[in-house]
Amino acid sequence: MRGGILAALGLLSGSLLFRSRDKNSCSSGFDCSSCSRSKSCMLPAAMGARQMVWQLDPARCIQCGRCATNCVMSPSAVKCTHAFAMCGYCDLCGGYFKPGTKTLDTAAEHQLCPTNALKRKFIEDPFFEYTVNEELCIGCGKCVKGCGAFGNGSLQLQVRHDCCKNCNECSIARNCPSQAFTRVPANKPSLLKSFGNAKTAILTGVAALLSTAAMAIQRFPKPEFESAYTQPQTQIPLPRGEFLACLDVIVLFVLLSVVTWLVLKKRSRLWVFAMSVFSLVYFGFYREGCVCSIGAIQNVSLALFDNTFILPLSVVLFFALPLVFTLFFGRTFCAAVCPFGAMQDFFAFKPQALGPRLNTVLGIIPYLYLGLAVLFAATGTDFIICRYDPFVGIFRFNASFSMFLFSGILLLSGVFIARPYCRFLCPYGVLLNWTSRFSRKHLSITPSECIQCRLCENSCPYDAIDIPVTTKSPESRPAMVKKMMILTVLIPFLVLAFGYTGSRLHETLAGVDSRVKLAKEVLAISKSSDLKEKKTGANSNSAVAEESYEIKAYKSSGKTEAQVYEEASMVLKKFYVGGWLFGGFIGLVFGMMTAGRMMPVYRTDYVTNKGRCFSCARCVDYCPVKS
């Protein structure tokens, strides 16, 4: 069984990294390592091993202002970038001055930028240079919108990779109404407009109707300087180096190895706790909780169902390495490597036992969370694990009030309920639970034969110690056969019943998707327009509601209503199939839990429950047998 699981993990990782590609689509053959164009090749096989970063496509951007408010960084990692080669060096700059300004000076009341991040400098009559102070820029896009309305569009929003954390999913991308955020290779981290890409901008049709600047049309001629002025170069900071991404993987592997040795050989709770402190400092506050193994579930799910999504090697390893270690040595990742668990360990002062029934009921929640996370990620709808991550906001010191309240409740409840997130919310814990059941070497309470001293009985704060069940009452053969027959019928029935229920809820679940939301808004506007046409003269002077940014992005994209409805229909079909799979998965979980309750296991010693045990080594200190 272990070999099969390991082979499945290897096959999964390999398929994500080395996708098949059409032989006719590449004139250089299959071997990307010997190809001189591999660093710039956009084929999946060449891109798979390269680092990918988030970037904003200025041809799609509608300057909605969400870059300033939705980024996990404060201020935002999106900054205004000035492409000097496009600039007309205008005296009356639409990106610098407020509309209707009559006095062209640097007074604050005349400036469009709310933080005075855009600087104006006289070069020679009639030319002025405009530069961006990125320390003051908040990414609101007001200057970009002004420059596009009256200018060449030289001011553009770009993700500055010296600030960006390159999260599993960009929170701005999740809320961008025009879907302007995309993944690009780290060796080409910027998507700046230029006069040479007008054809491309027109062909995409995105934001082409919003302003002529989006089509890279030069409305103001390039200045002819008479002085010795030298045009500045547009600064493009490179992203976090691939070496540092590799360093994260190396630290993960070394930490997993050290903690495994401390748990299985050293059997020292003190050293395990010390490693958890290091993990909290490095993966938590230094790396700010991203990329994490828990969030990687969504990246892997999206990559499996979307061939255009390129998964970096580091994300694949963060997902697979803890599972491989768990398959052989138990949940040593949970013991001291995961920063989420390490943070909760600091608050486990007076943990109380919850009992098997409450543990079973609350234990269903992670399966629901895992199923929904895979469903939303596979359909390209949302990364709900990242959206509702309770600890990343603490690691980055920028949590919203609601998330700070949520994480505070979790940590305070952790005083009495040890690791509430790990036990009753973590979706990655479900996968670790499954693989740990087949672990070859797992933490044992005693290094030799149990002497039945009962000192460890209440030592585990996670209810992961199974006590002996010695009063065996043999059941008759007919009773055992009857139970097996009931389970044989019950489990398929639960799978079908829950699957059907999930399929019936597909429209409700799909309502979260931005494409479905847009289709509903377009339909509502269409019905409202038809109704107004029928009412002749009635309410002719009524106020017109302001359009949402999603509708503005839709109108600027050039899409027809039929295309919007078609996209929404495809999403609904995906959710219909996904609803069947999600419901069937939950039905199978209920069936297996019922089977576990109906078929008890008899044992004579105190043993760790391989699935629930976090390998924290607390119980070994209670055992008097030391060798």
Side-chain angles (χ1 to χ4, degrees):
M1 181 62 73
R2 280 192 300 272
I5 297 175
L6 188 62
L9 285 174
L11 182 62
L12 173 64
S13 302
S15 64
L16 293 175
L17 289 176
F18 306 103
R19 300 181 185 277
S20 60
R21 73 187 208 204
D22 184 8
K23 182 177 179 180
N24 298 324
S25 64
C26 179
S27 59
S28 302
F30 288 97
D31 188 7
C32 293
S33 61
S34 61
C35 178
S36 60
R37 297 189 301 167
S38 61
K39 292 185 177 181
S40 59
C41 180
M42 298 301 292
L43 291 173
M47 295 173 64
R50 294 206 307 265
Q51 183 186 3
M52 305 295 291
V53 294
W54 289 104
Q55 191 48 270
L56 172 62
D57 186 351
R60 297 185 178 186
C61 178
I62 62 170
Q63 300 88 44
C64 63
R66 296 185 183 180
C67 291
T69 57
N70 286 279
C71 184
V72 296
M73 302 302 298
S74 182
S76 174
V78 175
K79 306 290 184 183
C80 177
T81 298
H82 195 185
F84 291 95
M86 294 182 65
C87 185
Y89 287 79
C90 309
D91 184 5
L92 176 59
C93 176
Y96 184 84
F97 292 107
K98 291 180 179 179
T101 299
K102 297 181 180 180
T103 304
L104 305 185
D105 56 27
T106 58
E109 62 268 19
H110 299 150
Q111 296 181 33
L112 184 61
C113 178
T115 61
N116 194 27
L118 192 61
K119 304 298 182 182
R120 171 181 165 98
K121 176 184 176 183
F122 176 74
I123 303 298
E124 62 181 65
D125 190 45
F127 302 124
F128 287 80
E129 178 188 85
Y130 299 91
T131 56
V132 181
N133 184 341
E134 291 192 353
E135 294 183 359
L136 298 177
C137 181
I138 60 174
C140 65
K142 291 183 178 180
C143 59
V144 178
K145 194 170 186 176
C147 184
F150 186 77
N152 290 339
S154 59
L155 295 177
Q156 305 161 29
L157 290 178
Q158 289 284 275
V159 177
R160 308 303 279 183
H161 298 291
D162 50 348
C163 305
C164 180
K165 298 301 178 184
N166 200 27
C167 305
N168 292 76
E169 186 199 27
C170 177
S171 61
I172 311 176
R174 184 171 58 224
N175 296 284
C176 180
S178 60
Q179 300 178 356
F181 276 77
T182 184
R183 287 276 197 180
V184 297
N187 61 343
K188 292 185 177 180
S190 294
L191 295 173
L192 291 174
K193 289 185 294 184
S194 65
F195 292 120
N197 66 358
K199 182 178 179 181
T200 303
I202 295 174
L203 290 177
T204 58
V206 181
L209 301 179
L210 187 65
S211 66
T212 54
M215 295 184 288
I217 296 176
Q218 184 172 350
R219 296 185 293 186
F220 294 88
K222 293 182 179 180
E224 296 180 1
F225 297 109
E226 297 180 358
S227 61
Y229 172 75
T230 302
Q231 190 177 72
Q233 292 291 326
T234 302
Q235 297 298 316
I236 303 177
L238 294 177
R240 192 171 187 262
E242 290 187 40
F243 168 76
L244 295 177
C246 294
L247 177 63
D248 291 341
V249 176
I250 293 172
V251 172
L252 175 66
F253 178 79
V254 171
L255 201 56
L256 281 168
S257 302
V258 171
V259 172
T260 300
W261 177 77
L262 291 173
V263 169
L264 299 182
K265 297 297 182 182
K266 189 74 173 177
R267 295 173 62 85
S268 172
R269 169 60 192 166
L270 180 61
W271 278 105
V272 170
F273 181 77
M275 289 296 101
S276 69
V277 173
F278 173 81
S279 176
L280 180 62
V281 172
Y282 183 83
F283 289 116
F285 291 101
Y286 172 64
R287 287 295 292 118
E288 298 184 334
C290 202
V291 172
C292 71
S293 301
I294 302 173
I297 294 174
Q298 303 159 119
N299 300 77
V300 171
S301 301
L302 180 57
L304 286 174
F305 291 92
D306 184 359
N307 290 329
T308 63
F309 182 76
I310 304 301
L311 200 62
L313 175 61
S314 58
V315 176
V316 175
L317 293 176
F318 262 83
F319 173 78
L321 274 178
L323 292 175
V324 172
F325 269 80
T326 302
L327 182 62
F328 288 95
F329 309 112
R331 298 175 65 169
T332 54
F333 172 77
C334 299
V337 182
C338 178
F340 292 7
M343 172 168 281
Q344 294 172 87
D345 262 348
F346 281 97
F347 290 84
F349 297 122
K350 295 182 179 180
Q352 304 295 320
L354 297 180
R357 292 185 180 179
L358 188 56
N359 273 301
T360 301
V361 173
L362 295 177
I364 297 173
I365 300 176
Y367 291 93
L368 291 169
Y369 199 6
L370 174 64
L372 289 174
V374 173
L375 175 62
F376 287 131
T379 55
T381 298
D382 199 356
F383 277 25
I384 60 174
I385 297 177
C386 295
R387 179 186 285 270
Y388 302 111
D389 191 313
F391 300 118
V392 168
I394 295 178
F395 293 148
R396 296 175 178 175
F397 302 103
N398 64 350
S400 64
F401 176 77
S402 58
M403 291 310 300
F404 181 79
L405 182 63
F406 177 45
S407 58
I409 292 173
L410 279 177
L411 293 177
L412 289 177
S413 63
V415 174
F416 305 103
I417 305 172
R419 290 198 183 194
Y421 179 85
C422 299
R423 297 163 66 187
F424 307 125
L425 276 176
C426 181
Y428 195 64
V430 173
L431 305 181
L432 295 172
N433 186 320
W434 291 344
T435 52
S436 182
R437 294 172 186 269
F438 304 98
S439 56
R440 182 179 179 183
K441 293 183 179 180
H442 194 280
L443 173 71
S444 59
I445 301 172
T446 177
S448 58
E449 185 177 355
C450 179
I451 61 174
Q452 303 291 320
C453 65
R454 302 184 61 181
L455 293 176
C456 66
E457 188 170 350
N458 298 316
S459 63
C460 181
Y462 314 118
D463 299 317
I465 294 180
D466 292 330
I467 63 175
V469 181
T470 56
T471 56
K472 181 176 179 181
S473 300
E475 294 181 292
S476 63
R477 183 179 178 85
M480 293 292 294
V481 173
K482 183 178 180 180
K483 282 187 176 182
M484 292 299 298
M485 291 178 64
I486 293 174
L487 291 174
T488 303
V489 176
L490 179 63
I491 293 177
F493 172 77
L494 289 175
V495 171
L496 292 175
F498 277 82
Y500 176 75
T501 303
S503 68
R504 299 298 296 175
L505 295 173
H506 75 284
E507 291 187 6
T508 302
L509 295 172
V512 181
D513 192 279
S514 59
R515 292 159 290 186
V516 176
K517 287 182 179 178
L518 176 62
K520 290 181 178 179
E521 287 191 53
V522 172
L523 181 61
I525 292 175
S526 179
K527 288 182 177 179
S528 177
S529 300
D530 294 340
L531 186 61
K532 287 181 180 180
E533 290 179 1
K534 292 180 181 179
K535 291 182 177 181
T536 56
N539 298 326
S540 58
N541 297 324
S542 59
V544 179
E546 185 178 357
E547 292 181 340
S548 67
Y549 282 112
E550 285 76 12
I551 294 298
K552 290 180 180 179
Y554 151 66
K555 290 184 176 180
S556 68
S557 68
K559 289 183 180 179
T560 63
E561 287 188 20
Q563 290 175 318
V564 173
Y565 297 150
E566 184 180 358
E567 287 183 359
S569 177
M570 292 178 63
V571 173
L572 287 172
K573 289 179 181 178
K574 291 180 180 179
F575 269 93
Y576 180 77
V577 176
W580 268 105
L581 296 175
F582 168 66
F585 169 69
I586 299 302
L588 180 62
V589 170
F590 272 95
M592 297 307 294
M593 286 184 174
T594 304
R597 300 288 296 180
M598 292 178 64
M599 309 292 289
V601 178
Y602 297 94
R603 51 192 167 269
T604 58
D605 288 335
Y606 288 88
V607 294
T608 55
N609 185 299
K610 286 186 175 183
R612 295 198 303 267
C613 177
F614 293 133
S615 298
C616 65
R618 278 184 172 89
C619 56
V620 300
D621 292 338
Y622 290 80
C623 183
V625 181
K626 299 301 180 184
S627 61

